[in-house]
Amino acid sequence: MSLAYDVIPVTIVTGFLGSGKSTLLADVLTGDAARDTALLVNEFGEVGLDHLLIGEIQTQTVLLDNGCICCAMRGELKDALTSLFSRRARGEVPPFSRVVLETTGLATPAPIVATLLGDRVVSSHYSIRAIVTVVDAVNAPQQRAAHPEWLAQVAAADRIVLSKADLADTPALEALERSLAQLNPAARIARRTHADDASIVLDPAATAHDFADFVRRTGAPRAGMRNDAPPLARLDAAPAHRERLASLDAFCVEFDEPVEWAVFTLWFTMLLARHGDGILRVKGLLALAGVPQPVVLHAVHHLVHPVLHLDAWPGQSGAEQSHAVPRSRLVFIARGLARDTVADSYRRLCRHLQTAETVR
Ligand SMILES: [Zn+2]
């Protein structure tokens, strides 16, 4: 077996919560491209779902969950990359020729770049091909105002892909494009056209990763850090980033019974009306009563995306899992909202509707 590359190119795909990174990757990682790609998915929270949503792809997928890759899991990232490389060398995994690293929407890219460049073993096996940042055209102004991570992701990008451009009105979209160009003049900015997805993610024109330039753009010395601090140290996650993460909760709500679509939408609309400002992200798989296929739900703040129907429940193609009863699962990333509040509100609504039914 011959290996195509001695140094494996890595595309870092970042973008704030709900911007559509997984959707983009699901579209790109099909067929030969999937077989040729190792995918690292980082999720913030106790339940990883993105790797399921990306689907049953023929790719080597490593899930780094339960923490943020840019601050809490840098050691895990390094271990995952070195282990992937040695398993590939031993022929234990397909001889992929590229790595795609999907970060959580809350991560800042600079510390990830520092992990890739700063570790001698990792940097001898991998090189950064490009940083692709997906920007949500609808929620960008709100995310920019509330989350410094949004700006860090935009500042670090070689390519910026605008998602949901069709949902934004033209003047707002053009204003966003102008401000992105000012924030990061070096990046190529384009609205997402499905035709370009593969070339942007899988074979981006190699960007010369001028490290000094990257540090200048994204790693300006922080308060309290001396100007002559080593460049790699300047790329470490800011303490404020860890504090912000600590103020967020990620939790999963499961539903015992298949959900009635009408009841679910009523409940979910009420939940977002009441708590939407504090809900950064909801995504999940729903088992609808009477529907064998799962439905994928995505919401960011008050915006709920049209649901997607999957052909089958992920992870259930294997014979050993075919008896599992699919359960609806929603993963929330929120501030100031408890799991019990969410779960109780659904149960209360169901009880209320049952009572109303009986009375009638
Ligand atoms: Zn982090």
Side-chain angles (χ1 to χ4, degrees), residues 259-282:
V259 298
E260 297 287 343
W261 180 240
V263 175
F264 179 84
T265 47
L266 175 63
W267 168 72
F268 199 61
T269 308
M270 286 161 49
L271 186 76
L272 291 186
R274 175 104 190 264
H275 298 290
D277 289 340
I279 294 178
L280 279 73
R281 178 90 167 98
V282 182

Side-chain angles (χ1 to χ4, degrees), residues 97-113:
S97 63
R98 66 172 85 77
V99 169
V100 171
L101 169 57
E102 182 196 0
T103 75
T104 127
L106 297 163
T108 55
I112 301 168
V113 170

Side-chain angles (χ1 to χ4, degrees), residues 74 110-111 114 215 218-240 242:
R74 286 173 64 180
V215 173
T218 66
R222 292 189 302 272
M225 183 172 279
R226 291 160 49 118
N227 253 329
D228 57 356
L232 279 170
R234 291 201 230 163
L235 296 181
D236 282 347
R242 292 166 186 265

Side-chain angles (χ1 to χ4, degrees), residues 326-346:
R327 283 162 69 90
S328 301
R329 288 190 290 171
L330 291 183
V331 176
F332 285 75
I333 298 178
R335 178 174 283 132
L337 179 66
R339 178 211 311 257
D340 290 351
T341 309
V342 176
D344 290 347
S345 72
Y346 182 75

Side-chain angles (χ1 to χ4, degrees), residues 13-260:
V13 178
T14 180
F16 204 72
L17 292 170
S19 57
K21 299 179 294 293
S22 302
T23 315
L24 175 67
L25 292 178
D27 286 356
V28 165
L29 292 176
T30 56
D32 289 344
R35 278 187 285 280
D36 214 18
T37 305
L39 175 66
L40 266 68
V41 181
N42 172 225
E43 299 193 42
F44 174 82
E46 58 186 287
V47 183
L49 262 190
D50 275 4
H51 65 297
L52 294 178
L53 299 179
I54 286 171
E56 304 283 308
I57 45 182
Q58 300 287 316
T59 197
Q60 190 61 41
T61 304
V62 178
L63 180 64
L64 300 164
D65 57 0
N66 247 326
C68 177
I69 202 172
C70 86
C71 43
M73 301 195 64
R74 286 173 64 180
E76 284 85 346
L77 171 61
K78 178 179 160 252
D79 293 347
L81 286 167
T82 37
S83 143
L84 258 182
F85 191 87
S86 41
R87 284 162 62 206
R88 172 179 174 270
R90 292 196 298 264
E92 292 169 11
V93 298
F96 57 87
S97 63
R98 66 172 85 77
V99 169
V100 171
L101 169 57
E102 182 196 0
T103 75
T104 127
L106 297 163
T108 55
I112 301 168
V113 170
T115 303
L116 282 157
L117 298 176
D119 184 84
R120 199 174 44 78
V121 178
V122 172
S123 64
S124 63
H125 296 329
Y126 297 95
S127 67
I128 299 170
R129 184 72 178 257
I131 300 170
V132 178
T133 300
V134 184
V135 170
D136 177 329
V138 177
N139 292 296
Q142 189 182 357
Q143 292 172 341
R144 178 181 179 181
H147 305 284
E149 290 82 2
W150 182 94
L151 191 57
Q153 292 166 358
V154 166
D158 301 305
R159 304 284 303 247
I160 294 174
V161 179
L162 276 166
S163 65
K164 307 179 198 175
D166 52 327
L167 299 176
D169 58 77
T170 310
L173 188 59
E174 288 170 351
L176 174 62
E177 285 170 332
R178 280 194 300 276
S179 76
L180 290 171
Q182 278 172 359
L183 291 170
N184 184 346
R188 285 175 60 189
I189 303 167
R191 298 175 195 181
R192 187 178 171 207
T193 65
H194 296 256
D196 292 343
D197 288 349
S199 67
I200 289 175
V201 175
L202 301 177
D203 296 300
T207 315
H209 273 91
D210 180 337
F211 186 50
D213 177 58
F214 186 85
V215 173
R216 220 175 9 254
R217 256 194 302 141
T218 66
R222 292 189 302 272
M225 183 172 279
R226 291 160 49 118
N227 253 329
D228 57 356
L232 279 170
R234 291 201 230 163
L235 296 181
D236 282 347
H241 164 72
R242 292 166 186 265
E243 277 168 34
R244 275 191 301 278
L245 288 190
S247 75
L248 297 177
D249 285 314
F251 56 86
C252 178
V253 177
E254 297 205 356
F255 301 78
D256 298 331
E257 308 280 329
V259 298
E260 297 287 343

